[in-house]
């Protein structure tokens, strides 16, 4: 099975982003892709809550979701929309950061709301309070597909290995980590963490990423790390998207999961223990 990881520099204009993603999806299918994955916040990357409130929609009305479901059906492929920013009925007005797995008929096969919120102070000039605008999810999600069971995660989730262990124990063979990683933390931690999650669980890890400088109508433009990665169940980097928008292809063999777990079967050796 061939997967295509789409690397984007999304703006805060959802309609503009839709056209770009649809074009890249068609290119990926021409390149032999059976599964296409897009990054976190595919529809709108913005530093401004006011701008997000202006352009984001609820799931039922979201034009990006509707357009990409239609495109997946037209192309007859599986699609992981890494995530969309969506309005919710939350009384405090916070958004959802929601990943969607779309089947080849265009139906939604699974939804996952990002659990862990990126509330960090990286430097004096780079601070993030994701929980100020987004409500955290509460449920881990796996979904069966013809090419293996997928376990869904988003960006900052990557730093919480117990989530990925739970996904693997629930049957996940492919772990997805769409992201919009900071350049500072990305340079230091992105590849080591992705490889660690693959090695620990004997799973493929597919991580499509945002990259570059993102245009913004309000607020300072944001930068993201790029380097969409595909990692084997043995921890080898199979593909790296570099720092520019585009498509990264990787061929997956489900049997590699079984082989990696047979060589080091640690996933079967977990034990309950008393905490210190």
């Amino acid at each position: 099975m061939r997967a295509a990881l789409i690397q984007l520099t999304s703006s805060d204009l959802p309609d503009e982003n839709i056209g770009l993603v649809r074009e890249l999806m068609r290119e990926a299918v021409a390149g032999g892709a059976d599964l296409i994955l897009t990054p976190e916040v595919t529809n709108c990357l913005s530093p401004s809550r006011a701008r997000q409130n202006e352009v984001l929609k609820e799931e039922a009305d979201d034009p990006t979701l509707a357009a990409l479901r239609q495109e997946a059906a037209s192309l007859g492929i599986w699609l992981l929309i890494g995530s969309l920013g969506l309005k919710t009925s939350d009384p405090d007005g916070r958004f959802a950061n929601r990943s969607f797995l779309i089947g080849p008929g265009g139906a939604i096969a699974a939804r996952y709301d990002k659990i862990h919120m990126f509330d960090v102070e990286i430097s004096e000039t780079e601070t993030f309070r994701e929980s100020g605008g987004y409500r955290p999810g509460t449920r881990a999600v796996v979904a069966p597909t013809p090419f293996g069971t997928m376990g869904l995660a988003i960006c900052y989730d990557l730093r919480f290995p117990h989530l990925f262990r739970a996904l693997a124990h629930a049957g996940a063979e492919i772990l997805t980590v769409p992201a919009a990683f900071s350049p500072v933390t990305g340079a230091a931690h992105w590849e080591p963490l992705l490889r660690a999650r693959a090695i620990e669980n004997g799973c493929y890890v597919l991580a499509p990423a945002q990259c570059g400088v993102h245009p913004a109508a309000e607020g300072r433009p944001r930068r993201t790390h790029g380097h969409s990665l595909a990692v084997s169940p043995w921890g080898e980097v199979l593909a790296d998207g570099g720092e520019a928008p585009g498509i990264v292809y990787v061929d997956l063999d489900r049997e590699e999961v079984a082989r990696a777990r047979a060589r080091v079967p640690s996933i079967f050796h977990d034990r309950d223990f008393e905490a210190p």
Side-chain angles (χ1 to χ4, degrees), residues 182-203:
S182 155
V184 175
T185 58
H189 299 153
W190 174 242
E191 182 179 321
L193 288 172
L194 289 168
R195 294 184 66 196
R197 300 297 86 86
I199 293 166
E200 290 163 350
N201 299 296
C203 290

Side-chain angles (χ1 to χ4, degrees), residues 140-199:
V141 175
V142 297
T145 74
F147 39 83
T149 300
M150 295 178 63
L152 278 56
I154 300 172
C155 201
Y156 191 52
D157 284 333
L158 180 60
R159 295 184 180 274
F160 300 87
H162 51 282
L163 171 61
F164 292 84
R165 196 60 153 193
L167 294 172
H169 277 305
E173 300 158 282
I174 301 167
L175 302 169
T176 60
V177 193
F181 240 66
S182 155
V184 175
T185 58
H189 299 153
W190 174 242
E191 182 179 321
L193 288 172
L194 289 168
R195 294 184 66 196
R197 300 297 86 86
I199 293 166

Side-chain angles (χ1 to χ4, degrees), residues 110-124:
R111 297 172 177 82
Y112 166 71
D113 283 6
K114 184 177 182 180
I115 292 173
H116 299 97
M117 298 288 100
F118 190 48
D119 291 352
V120 301
E121 186 174 320
I122 296 171
S123 67
E124 292 183 1

